[in-house]
Amino acid sequence: MKFPRINCNISFVSLLILLSASWTISYPIQESFLQCLNSNSQPSIPFSAFCSQNDSSFSSLLQSSAQNLRYLEPSKPKPEFIFTPLHESHVQGAVICSRELGIHMIVRSGGHDYEGLSYVSEIETPFILVDLAKLRSISVDIPDNSAWIQAGATIGEVYYRISEKSNTHGFPAGLYTSLGVGGHITGGAYGGLMRKYGLGADNVIDARIVDVNGRILDRAAMGEDLFWAIRGGGGASFGVILSWKIKLVPVPPIVTVFTVNKTLEQGATKTLYRWQQVADKLDENLFIRVIIHVAPVTDSLRAVITKYNALFLGGADRLLQIMQQSFPELGLAQQDCIETSWIKSMLYMGEHPSDATPEVLLQGKSTFKNHFKAKSDFVKEPIPETALEGLWTRLLQEEIPLMIWNPYGGMMSKISESEIPFPHRQGTLFKIQYVSMWQDGSKNAERHMDWIRELYDYMTPYVSNPRTAYVNYRDLDLGMDKKSNPSFAEANAWGAMYFKDNFKRLVTVKTKVDPDNFFRHAQTIPPVRKTR
């Protein structure tokens, strides 16, 4: 059915009268939602805030911030319509109306959920998508060392707005700058400052959230239990995050970055074994991650490359002293070091082009949009060299494999496991992210998925036991809810891996604030089931 051309300035009531006849037949969900929303939101909502499946812009809007192309395949379910709120009250209305009408609602801030849960619902249809992309204001208060950031802003925009006001303030969150802050911080949010200041979630001091009753609550109103749960307990289980108040942290006017590559012929195995021994014990101002990938050498030959990618809060001379004392095996030289500002270091670590200026962060464009499958682990003992050699063999079997090893220690070891729901703290040497990417769509997807699952199995003896995982690298292989209301035992399959003992407290909070499980997804925090 084709809609008549509509002036977007037409009144909301006139719009409903004009379209009610056709919507009554084909769009009962959208019509009912619109009518309810108009009664529960101020100011009124323009027609342009809605995009239904028949709209020519539907696909482009759905894909706009979706990162995992695997969940945009034609076979995947699509929302009945996309609603883009322009004001906080519109989000309140969306929650109230979805609940009243019994419509499953999912929420997207940045679209980086690894299993597409912020734009696809595989547990129930029909569903609607509330996209927070228009709620992206950022208010930086340097004298207070804080900022209020709306959920639809990207972390790159946050970094840029901080740098506009000060070159000696920063925020410890992600390195990939298109991450939406609404979901990013709910899972923890780690980056190059984590060894100095902890996670983004460790540095949240207030929040605004829409609860299941459509109320906007700040920290004082929601109480400390809910405030605890939303900082690291995973997104979309407790309410809709509208904004965070974050604590800014000091950074020096000059920082240093470097990248050093090691091939197997250059001793990559022994260097990486040594990195495992020292990475968590280095000066807390130094963050050295290892990116492991496969690159072509000739048309018929490929090689494993280990890339040491680092950020140091200080100048190159001091960095070289530390490296010579603690990790001389890497062979860092003066010419490898680049002194720059903190904001430009975020461009470097986020893999933006070398000639990019900080203004590129305002575009919110992703540098990582692929068909992919990812998994994660935490490591407590160095992985032996023989196991690394087996790892190289397996990486060479896949077309576009990627592993990222992120060091822990420093502040990450000083914060209690129960301070926030994110529990991976003292005793963790580093975190592993495994990724398989492919460019042929769904054609050979299962082959790539099988490869990463086999790699994950291979790593079992060398990682934490019991095995754990990072919720922002969501992995439905760990288990998923197929009934929209899992039991504690069922959800514990993934909950204990993401949150350890904190999962029990998260369930208690969920039961208190959302007993009917309105906010739900395939790996939701479940409420305790009611007994009849």
Side-chain angles (χ1 to χ4, degrees):
M1 180 179 296
K2 293 184 178 179
F3 293 127
R5 291 189 176 274
I6 297 168
N7 181 340
C8 289
N9 294 320
I10 192 170
S11 75
F12 194 86
V13 175
S14 299
L15 173 67
L16 286 178
I17 294 172
L18 179 63
L19 297 180
S20 61
S22 60
W23 278 350
T24 299
I25 298 172
S26 301
Y27 294 92
I29 293 176
Q30 187 166 341
E31 180 194 18
S32 300
F33 188 84
L34 282 166
Q35 290 174 335
C36 176
L37 201 57
N38 190 46
S39 301
N40 287 280
S41 300
Q42 290 294 332
S44 61
I45 300 167
F47 178 63
S48 58
F50 293 87
C51 187
S52 64
Q53 291 187 12
N54 264 21
D55 195 300
S56 61
S57 61
F58 179 81
S59 292
S60 62
L61 181 57
L62 180 63
Q63 296 172 19
S64 60
S65 64
Q67 302 301 306
N68 194 340
L69 302 182
R70 185 159 57 95
Y71 286 97
L72 293 176
E73 293 289 334
S75 61
K76 297 298 182 182
K78 305 295 187 290
E80 294 294 303
F81 60 88
I82 301 170
F83 171 47
T84 307
L86 303 179
H87 300 277
E88 289 184 341
S89 67
H90 295 170
V91 182
Q92 291 179 276
V95 171
I96 291 169
C97 295
S98 295
R99 188 179 181 193
E100 284 186 3
L101 299 170
I103 301 171
H104 182 40
M105 182 187 89
I106 61 176
V107 181
R108 177 169 75 179
S109 61
H112 280 73
D113 189 286
Y114 273 26
E115 297 282 14
L117 300 189
S118 59
Y119 46 97
V120 172
S121 175
E122 296 197 81
I123 62 171
E124 57 190 294
T125 55
F127 66 97
I128 65 170
L129 170 58
V130 177
D131 191 331
L132 303 180
K134 300 292 187 183
L135 298 179
R136 58 194 318 133
S137 73
I138 299 166
S139 178
V140 177
D141 185 344
I142 294 298
D144 189 50
N145 294 312
S146 68
W148 274 103
I149 57 176
Q150 281 194 304
T154 65
I155 198 63
E157 289 176 281
V158 173
Y159 295 159
Y160 181 86
R161 296 304 179 196
I162 294 171
S163 73
E164 274 190 318
K165 299 288 185 70
S166 169
N167 68 347
T168 57
H169 287 76
F171 181 64
L175 298 175
Y176 293 99
T177 54
S178 61
L179 293 162
V181 300
H184 180 45
I185 294 175
T186 61
Y190 77 89
L193 299 181
M194 62 183 284
R195 301 190 65 250
K196 179 71 172 181
Y197 297 114
L199 306 171
D202 293 322
N203 290 274
V204 169
I205 50 182
D206 205 343
R208 287 171 62 81
I209 183 173
V210 177
D211 76 351
V212 70
N213 297 308
R215 301 173 299 175
I216 294 179
L217 307 175
D218 62 8
R219 178 176 183 173
M222 75 178 78
E224 288 302 301
D225 284 343
L226 181 53
F227 184 64
W228 174 84
I230 62 176
R231 293 173 296 142
S237 283
F238 301 98
V240 181
I241 302 295
L242 295 173
S243 56
W244 304 103
K245 185 179 183 182
I246 58 173
K247 179 175 66 177
L248 306 184
V249 300
V251 295
I254 297 295
V255 305
T256 305
V257 294
F258 71 78
T259 299
V260 173
N261 293 324
K262 292 285 185 182
T263 64
L264 301 188
E265 292 73 20
Q266 294 170 325
T269 304
K270 289 189 179 297
T271 304
L272 187 57
Y273 183 71
R274 179 60 180 161
W275 175 90
Q276 295 180 80
Q277 296 173 311
V278 303
D280 69 309
K281 303 172 186 67
L282 294 171
D283 187 305
E284 65 181 13
N285 292 294
L286 178 56
F287 172 90
I288 307 176
R289 64 176 177 169
V290 187
I291 301 171
I292 306 170
H293 64 107
V294 172
V297 177
T298 66
D299 289 343
S300 59
L301 183 64
R302 302 193 310 154
V304 173
I305 309 293
T306 58
K307 181 168 73 173
Y308 293 80
N309 180 231
L311 168 65
F312 176 64
L313 299 177
D317 289 345
R318 176 60 182 147
L319 169 61
L320 287 165
Q321 291 175 359
I322 292 171
M323 291 295 290
Q324 185 58 41
Q325 293 168 1
S326 304
F327 191 22
E329 295 84 356
L330 187 61
L332 183 70
Q334 182 77 47
Q335 61 265 30
D336 299 318
C337 301
I338 302 171
E339 292 188 335
T340 187
S341 63
W342 175 75
I343 188 64
K344 290 185 178 179
S345 78
M346 292 298 96
L347 297 177
Y348 181 91
M349 299 295 286
E351 301 184 332
H352 289 276
S354 59
D355 60 350
T357 63
E359 284 69 27
V360 73
L361 299 176
L362 298 177
Q363 298 175 10
K365 290 185 178 178
S366 173
T367 57
F368 190 85
K369 215 173 173 72
N370 292 282
H371 290 81
F372 70 92
K373 172 65 183 176
K375 302 177 85 66
S376 62
D377 265 316
F378 290 86
V379 179
K380 294 181 176 292
E381 298 288 340
I383 299 169
E385 290 184 34
T386 53
L388 295 178
E389 290 166 356
L391 179 59
W392 309 148
T393 300
R394 286 161 174 80
L395 290 175
L396 287 167
Q397 295 169 354
E398 178 65 345
E399 292 171 23
I400 314 177
L402 176 69
M403 294 180 74
I404 303 177
W405 295 19
N406 286 283
Y408 274 55
M411 181 58 73
M412 292 298 292
S413 295
K414 299 174 186 176
I415 298 173
S416 164
E417 285 195 358
S418 60
E419 181 69 21
I420 64 172
F422 180 97
H424 314 288
R425 304 286 188 172
Q426 188 173 12
T428 298
L429 301 184
F430 58 95
K431 173 177 60 190
I432 296 178
Q433 178 179 190
Y434 314 86
V435 184
S436 174
M437 294 174 282
W438 58 94
Q439 298 173 337
D440 52 359
S442 59
K443 183 178 178 182
N444 294 302
E446 282 306 312
R447 175 167 60 82
H448 299 294
M449 304 268 276
D450 288 344
W451 174 84
I452 197 170
R453 288 165 181 156
E454 290 170 5
L455 178 66
Y456 186 74
D457 289 344
Y458 169 77
M459 294 295 289
T460 302
Y462 312 115
V463 298
S464 64
N465 183 18
R467 209 155 191 177
T468 52
Y470 178 40
V471 69
N472 271 1
Y473 297 157
R474 193 178 301 283
D475 181 4
L476 293 183
D477 288 351
L478 306 182
M480 62 181 288
D481 161 33
K482 298 178 180 179
K483 298 176 293 187
S484 78
N485 189 21
S487 67
F488 176 86
E490 291 166 335
N492 195 58
W494 63 83
M497 294 185 73
Y498 291 141
F499 308 112
K500 297 188 182 180
D501 288 343
N502 292 335
F503 182 62
K504 298 173 185 176
R505 184 178 173 190
L506 287 168
V507 169
T508 299
V509 176
K510 173 73 170 185
T511 304
K512 178 180 178 182
V513 303
D514 184 18
D516 296 321
N517 203 27
F518 171 76
F519 296 111
R520 60 190 181 272
H521 53 78
Q523 283 189 341
T524 196
I525 304 294
V528 174
R529 287 178 176 174
K530 297 176 181 177
T531 55
R532 295 177 179 242

